[in-house]
Amino acid sequence: MTYTVGEVAKLLNVAPSTLRYYESEGLLLEVERTESGRRCYSERDVEACRVIECLKESGLSIKDIRDFMEMVQQGDATLAGRLALFEERRAAVLAEIERLQETLSVLDFKRWYYGTALAAGTEDAVKDLAETEIPPEHQAARKRLKHG
């Protein structure tokens, strides 16, 4: 099966110009064209676009994605390098998830804090609570705010 640029853009939830940019930057190689010159994406092209989007979402630069796509073109001799890249990206994403989880815990604590203050009609009801008076799920976030 083949797809138009619009169909692939819709599948990936990106603008058609993004796909053209990928091609102009050398991320997508040899996208076929119809006789009239319209791009004609194969299943393999769509899969490559999904990998590009994944790498981009993981924080990899366009230059590094291009380097990866060049490794793919070089074949089996680059398997170890490609695996290393995905292992490094995975570690970076896990670290970002951990950082975001900490941010979320502070947001949740502050939601609880201000919600409790609002229900009591004053912030005085919560600002000097002992640690044991804070719900257990918010204690770590409060400690992080108080002690860095």
Side-chain angles (χ1 to χ4, degrees):
M1 178 167 195
T2 60
Y3 304 89
T4 66
V5 68
E7 290 169 332
V8 176
K10 191 175 286 187
L11 282 171
L12 300 176
N13 198 30
V14 299
S17 60
T18 299
L19 299 171
R20 292 184 198 102
Y21 173 74
Y22 290 167
E23 191 175 351
S24 72
E25 287 297 312
L27 305 181
L28 285 175
L29 304 175
E30 302 173 16
V31 173
E32 290 190 34
R33 295 190 182 248
T34 63
E35 286 182 18
S36 62
R38 292 180 182 245
R39 289 169 178 83
C40 189
Y41 292 86
S42 68
E43 293 282 348
R44 187 173 177 205
D45 294 328
V46 173
E47 182 180 343
C49 288
R50 285 190 171 118
V51 171
I52 291 165
E53 283 294 300
C54 173
L55 291 172
K56 192 170 84 173
E57 284 292 317
S58 78
L60 208 61
S61 70
I62 294 296
K63 180 207 173 297
D64 290 337
I65 295 171
R66 183 182 314 109
D67 292 345
F68 168 76
M69 297 307 282
E70 288 173 5
M71 282 195 287
V72 171
Q73 292 295 314
Q74 293 169 17
D76 290 348
T78 64
L79 287 173
R82 289 185 268 167
L83 175 60
L85 180 130
F86 276 91
E87 287 175 341
E88 184 275 327
R89 290 290 69 207
R90 183 178 190 280
V93 168
L94 286 172
E96 180 68 5
I97 288 170
E98 184 176 330
R99 187 190 68 73
L100 288 171
Q101 284 291 88
E102 289 177 5
T103 300
L104 182 59
S105 73
V106 170
L107 293 172
D108 287 343
F109 166 68
K110 285 302 196 176
R111 285 178 58 234
W112 170 83
Y113 178 94
Y114 290 116
T116 303
L118 182 62
T122 178
E123 190 174 357
D124 290 340
V126 289
K127 70 179 175 184
D128 293 322
L129 286 177
E131 185 176 320
T132 57
E133 297 175 282
I134 307 262
E137 66 270 21
H138 300 304
Q139 289 176 6
R142 181 173 187 237
K143 279 182 188 176
R144 200 173 309 106
L145 289 172
K146 292 272 185 194
H147 307 292

